[in-house]
Amino acid sequence: MNYKEAVDYIESTPKFTKKNKPENTRELLCRIGRPERKMKVIHVAGTNGKGSVCAFLSSILTGAGHRTGLFTSPHLVEITERFEVDGEQASREDFTRAFTRVKQVIDEMVADGFAHPAYFETLFAVGLLIFEEKEVEYLVLETGLGGRLDATNLVERPIACVITSISLDHMEYLGDTVAKIAGEKAGIIKEGVPVIYDGRDPEAAAVIAVQAEKMHAKAYRYDASMCQILGKTDKSIDFLLDSGYDEKMNVTVPYLAPYQVVNSSLALIALRVIDPERTIGTAQAVAGIARTRWPGRMETVMPGVVLDGAHNADGIKEFIRTIQGVSGKTSILFSAVADKEYERMIQEICEGVCLSSVIVTQVGGSRIVPAEELAEVFRKYTSAPVTAKANVREAFETALAQRGDGMLFCAGSLYLVGELKALLAERY
């Protein structure tokens, strides 16, 4: 089976299988040899920011000379983005070799009466084999959806768990309150395994603290008072981190989004928890933060052009907060998918930001919202000119032309970010 055939097979799995019970996925992991048991796993969950925390930790550990695997989702352009070793994306050959072995195991499982593993479960198994082959020491592991029932939660003994900000998203699966969603995320906490968490939301923090105590897990809470902003540019933020868990640190986070101050702080606290001997010094840790690259999250891709994957209520709130700190004219290229509260997102953007122009497009396949429908929603809440372009390429070209000497922010969906990343790769 070649790379394209492997990807096509995985992409077809949602058509004939759904998420399975943990026992089924445990069988899959056992049959591939439980490779994660050879690795020091840092398990990260949360509504927003978990991918960024993973990226920061991977950058620090790699920079300190540790062989480090990074498993994240979703991918923006190519499926191999989900698997990195020492900051390098897995090759198509790596992916195909690992998938071939997983496919053999899947065929054996099905023949023995087990359910076919679902999309994410299959990719998790593929990733573990890639990381095993590359002999990684640390595996930074991002949950897929939720935490308690996620395939990644079958890792038995991580060295630390990290829980990022909690907000309302995927409510049809995780619950309709912050407390219920926090309970699902806190399901990754293991007996006696330390947990580092964003404690800014009292409701979520209370749930996490109770679960940590129940599991005899030492808890390290991040609070906003731990950080003092020292300076900002259009590409970075300088801040002082005084967590009380380590010495004070002067940190430069290479993003203009304030939420990355929180995410990088969580990563630095987690580092000290897993490295109490301080074999990775403060200078190395801070340097790891500064060189982190996490595509599609307030990523400056061209002068004055920023891509952001904000696609839920909390993400849009942070997106608005970031834009409010930028001077000059602001244009937006926006799209969203049907199962998101896109009218609420649009209303909040229009009420929170003075827009000079709006361009909307459509993404998401079966979850598509027509561009003209999004445009009509924008026209309800802003007097700025609104242009609808169904084609993403045309929409982007129009947005570039309309932004003038101002900033262009592209947001609303990771599908949009992925399509724009692909266009930029062709163009440059």
Side-chain angles (χ1 to χ4, degrees):
M1 184 173 286
N2 61 32
Y3 173 74
K4 184 180 184 305
E5 291 169 337
V7 172
D8 288 346
Y9 183 90
I10 289 178
E11 294 294 345
S12 72
T13 54
K15 297 176 183 177
F16 57 87
T17 186
K18 297 180 180 179
K19 187 171 183 177
N20 297 301
K21 293 181 179 179
E23 293 75 16
N24 202 84
T25 309
R26 187 177 290 112
E27 180 70 19
L28 172 62
L29 298 188
C30 287
R31 291 193 182 211
I32 64 171
R34 299 298 306 226
E36 78 282 0
R37 291 176 177 171
K38 304 172 186 176
M39 308 165 198
K40 300 172 184 175
V41 178
I42 306 166
H43 197 190
V44 184
T47 304
N48 291 305
K50 58 185 183 291
S52 296
V53 170
C54 288
F56 286 127
L57 280 166
S58 176
S59 179
I60 293 169
L61 292 167
T62 298
H66 295 280
R67 188 77 158 164
T68 305
L70 174 63
F71 177 79
T72 58
S73 61
H75 60 277
L76 299 178
V77 180
E78 187 164 9
I79 205 165
T80 50
E81 295 169 25
R82 294 168 180 256
F83 323 101
E84 287 189 8
V85 176
D86 292 346
E88 295 295 325
Q89 183 176 320
S91 70
R92 291 183 172 189
E93 291 75 19
D94 293 335
F95 176 86
T96 305
R97 190 162 52 250
F99 173 76
T100 300
R101 183 174 164 196
V102 170
K103 176 64 164 58
Q104 180 181 355
V105 169
I106 288 174
D107 290 344
E108 292 169 356
M109 283 181 62
V110 172
D112 290 342
F114 290 91
H116 191 295
Y119 179 86
F120 185 80
E121 298 157 7
T122 302
L123 288 173
F124 182 40
V126 169
L128 290 179
L129 290 181
I130 291 172
F131 300 133
E132 180 184 42
E133 182 182 85
K134 300 298 182 181
E135 299 182 332
V136 304
E137 176 186 1
Y138 286 95
L139 171 57
V140 185
L141 182 62
E142 180 188 5
T143 59
L145 176 64
R148 182 176 62 91
L149 297 176
D150 193 71
T152 61
N153 205 29
L154 290 171
V155 171
E156 300 152 318
R157 187 74 183 177
I159 60 172
C161 298
V162 183
I163 302 176
T164 65
S165 69
I166 306 293
S167 61
L168 298 176
D169 195 21
H170 298 296
M171 291 180 285
E172 66 274 32
Y173 304 111
L174 305 179
D176 57 1
T177 68
V178 167
K180 288 179 182 177
I181 294 173
E184 291 297 314
K185 309 293 185 181
I188 72 167
I189 301 173
K190 304 293 191 299
E191 179 71 29
V193 175
V195 57
I196 302 91
Y197 68 100
D198 183 346
R200 293 174 300 158
D201 184 301
E203 189 177 4
V207 173
I208 295 167
V210 167
Q211 182 66 9
E213 183 176 5
K214 177 182 176 182
M215 301 303 291
H216 310 101
K218 188 170 182 180
Y220 299 81
R221 176 175 177 166
Y222 168 83
D223 188 85
S225 64
M226 295 176 177
C227 289
Q228 176 187 348
I229 304 299
L230 303 176
K232 296 181 180 181
T233 72
D234 62 353
K235 293 183 179 179
S236 64
I237 302 174
D238 298 328
F239 68 97
L240 174 68
L241 173 62
D242 184 8
S243 68
Y245 305 121
D246 197 5
E247 64 185 15
K248 295 180 181 180
M249 298 183 187
N250 285 302
V251 185
T252 297
V253 62
Y255 297 95
L256 53 79
Y259 61 77
Q260 295 294 24
V261 170
V262 177
N263 295 329
S264 57
S265 296
L266 287 169
L268 289 165
I269 295 169
L271 173 70
R272 202 46 70 218
V273 171
I274 67 172
D275 182 32
E277 304 292 324
R278 290 175 167 76
T279 60
I280 301 175
T282 297
Q284 278 184 306
V286 169
I289 296 294
R291 66 171 165 264
T292 303
R293 298 294 177 265
W294 186 227
R297 281 71 172 185
M298 275 298 167
E299 178 190 11
T300 301
V301 291
M302 295 168 56
V305 179
V306 177
L307 307 186
D308 188 56
H311 59 281
N312 56 37
D314 196 55
I316 289 296
K317 184 191 305 179
E318 294 294 342
F319 172 73
I320 293 167
R321 184 181 169 202
T322 299
I323 296 179
Q324 288 172 338
V326 175
S327 60
K329 294 190 300 182
T330 300
S331 298
I332 185 170
L333 170 57
F334 183 91
S335 193
V337 292
D339 58 353
K340 298 297 179 182
E341 295 182 286
Y342 57 86
E343 178 155 0
R344 179 183 171 191
M345 292 161 65
I346 290 168
Q347 181 179 358
E348 291 184 356
I349 290 170
C350 293
E351 291 176 351
V353 181
C354 181
L355 297 170
S356 59
S357 66
V358 176
I359 302 87
V360 293
T361 189
Q362 55 196 50
V363 295
S366 62
R367 301 157 69 197
I368 203 167
V369 181
E372 192 53 52
E373 182 176 329
L374 292 171
E376 286 304 313
V377 178
F378 266 103
R379 292 180 184 121
K380 287 170 58 177
Y381 298 108
T382 182
S383 59
V386 180
T387 304
K389 294 285 185 180
N391 180 274
V392 174
R393 184 186 296 273
E394 291 181 14
F396 186 54
E397 296 294 344
T398 301
L400 290 176
Q402 290 189 10
R403 80 177 180 95
D405 59 357
M407 294 283 291
L408 170 62
F409 291 88
C410 309
S413 171
L414 281 170
Y415 288 104
L416 174 63
V417 170
E419 293 208 30
L420 293 176
K421 293 285 286 185
L423 283 176
L424 288 163
E426 291 177 16
R427 179 171 174 170
Y428 301 102

